[in-house]
């Protein structure tokens, strides 16, 4: 007959799991910050293309040729669509990172509450509740940035870019339609991102009330 694990063994396993969860949480934060920087870089490239199409074509072509170590001519239309594809990929990764971080906060709170029962509520609140208690104003501001400001600015930026492509005199219709599909995918991804954050917050508030 198997022996039931002792209370100390259960606490040790819970503590290890908490440490692993915090380590994963820090990795998610690092990935989020990295993807956010790439999103800003790609939006900067799009802004450069919008403000100075001819100069951006020369700069981007030379940059790609140097990176790939080739002398062949590269279509600016292809480069433009590649920027859209790259933005879609990085933005989706960024959205996933933020959503997972919000969920990880909630899970970390649960682990901290479980661990705190073994220490009369005096320990294991560094990564979750302590953050919200000591940095409540900053936490609220971060939520405003993630939930409202960034999605609005992001949507405005890509909308200006796609409208500019349709208004261009020398547009390639096939390429603009392709970029428009990516634009729609970005809009859908952004809307789902905001909705997912709202649901996560709603579920968190419900759990707090239930407790």
């Amino acid at each position: 007959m198997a022996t039931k694990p002792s209370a100390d063994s259960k606490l040790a396993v819970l503590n290890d799991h908490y440490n692993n969860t915090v380590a994963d949480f820090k990795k998610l934060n690092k990935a989020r910050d990295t993807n956010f920087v790439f999103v800003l870089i790609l939006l900067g490239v799009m802004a450069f293309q919008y403000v100075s199409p001819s100069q951006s074509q020369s700069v981007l072509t030379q940059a790609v040729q140097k990176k790939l170590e080739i002398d062949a001519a590269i279509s600016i239309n292809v480069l433009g669509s590649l920027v859209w594809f790259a933005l879609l990929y990085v933005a989706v990764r960024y959205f996933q990172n933020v959503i997972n971080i919000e969920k990880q906060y909630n899970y970390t709170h649960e682990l901290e509450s479980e661990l705190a029962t073994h220490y009369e509520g005096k320990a294991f609140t560094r990564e979750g509740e302590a953050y919200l208690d000591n940095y409540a104003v900053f936490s609220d501001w971060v939520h405003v940035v993630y939930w409202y400001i960034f999605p609005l600015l992001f949507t405005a930026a890509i909308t200006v870019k796609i409208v500019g492509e349709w208004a261009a005199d020398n547009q390639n219709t096939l390429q603009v339609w392709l970029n428009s599909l990516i634009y729609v995918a970005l809009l859908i991804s952004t809307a789902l991102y905001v909705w997912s954050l709202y649901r996560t917050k709603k579920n968190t508030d419900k759990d707090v009330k239930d407790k």
Side-chain angles (χ1 to χ4, degrees):
M1 184 175 180
T3 304
K4 291 184 178 180
S6 64
D8 289 342
S9 297
K10 290 181 180 179
L11 179 58
V13 171
L14 183 61
N15 181 51
D16 289 341
H17 180 58
Y18 174 76
N19 289 331
N20 292 334
T21 301
V22 171
D24 292 340
F25 179 77
K26 292 178 179 179
K27 291 179 181 178
L28 279 174
N29 274 278
K30 184 177 181 180
R32 177 200 62 189
D33 295 342
T34 300
N35 286 322
F36 183 71
V37 170
F38 280 128
V39 168
L40 294 181
I41 291 173
L42 290 169
L43 289 177
V45 171
M46 285 187 165
F48 185 33
Q49 291 176 317
Y50 179 81
V51 173
S52 182
S54 57
Q55 187 176 359
S56 64
Q57 175 178 348
S58 175
V59 172
L60 290 176
T61 300
Q62 291 178 13
V64 172
Q65 288 175 334
K66 183 177 181 180
K67 183 67 177 178
L68 299 179
E69 298 181 351
I70 59 174
D71 295 326
I74 302 174
S75 170
I76 191 61
N77 293 330
V78 173
L79 290 178
S81 293
L82 286 177
V83 172
W84 276 102
F85 273 116
L87 182 61
L88 176 62
Y89 173 78
V90 176
V92 168
R93 296 292 297 173
Y94 169 76
F95 293 154
Q96 288 177 329
N97 291 148
V98 176
I99 293 169
N100 288 335
I101 286 172
E102 290 296 323
K103 292 179 179 179
Q104 197 82 334
Y105 265 129
N106 300 335
Y107 185 59
T108 303
H109 294 167
E110 294 177 3
L111 291 177
E112 289 172 349
S113 298
E114 181 67 25
L115 283 166
T117 60
H118 298 274
Y119 295 88
E120 299 180 356
K122 302 298 183 182
F124 296 101
T125 59
R126 180 187 60 192
E127 297 297 338
E129 293 179 2
Y131 174 83
L132 295 180
D133 290 340
N134 297 328
Y135 304 98
V137 175
F138 181 75
S139 178
D140 290 341
W141 168 244
V142 169
H143 279 93
V144 170
V145 172
Y146 285 151
W147 291 27
Y148 304 108
I149 297 179
F150 176 74
L152 285 175
L153 293 178
F154 180 76
T155 301
I158 60 176
T159 299
V160 169
K161 181 62 169 64
I162 199 65
V163 169
E165 291 187 12
W166 278 108
D169 295 331
N170 58 340
Q171 63 170 268
N172 181 307
T173 304
L174 180 61
Q175 180 220 3
V176 176
W177 272 111
L178 174 61
N179 296 346
S180 297
L181 290 176
I182 301 174
Y183 166 77
V184 171
L186 283 167
L187 288 184
I188 294 173
S189 298
T190 305
L192 291 175
Y193 162 72
V194 174
W195 180 71
S196 296
L197 287 177
Y198 171 76
R199 282 196 62 187
T200 301
K201 182 66 166 67
K202 187 176 180 180
N203 291 335
T204 301
D205 293 341
K206 182 178 181 297
D207 291 340
V208 171
K209 290 181 180 178
D210 291 341
K211 291 180 180 179

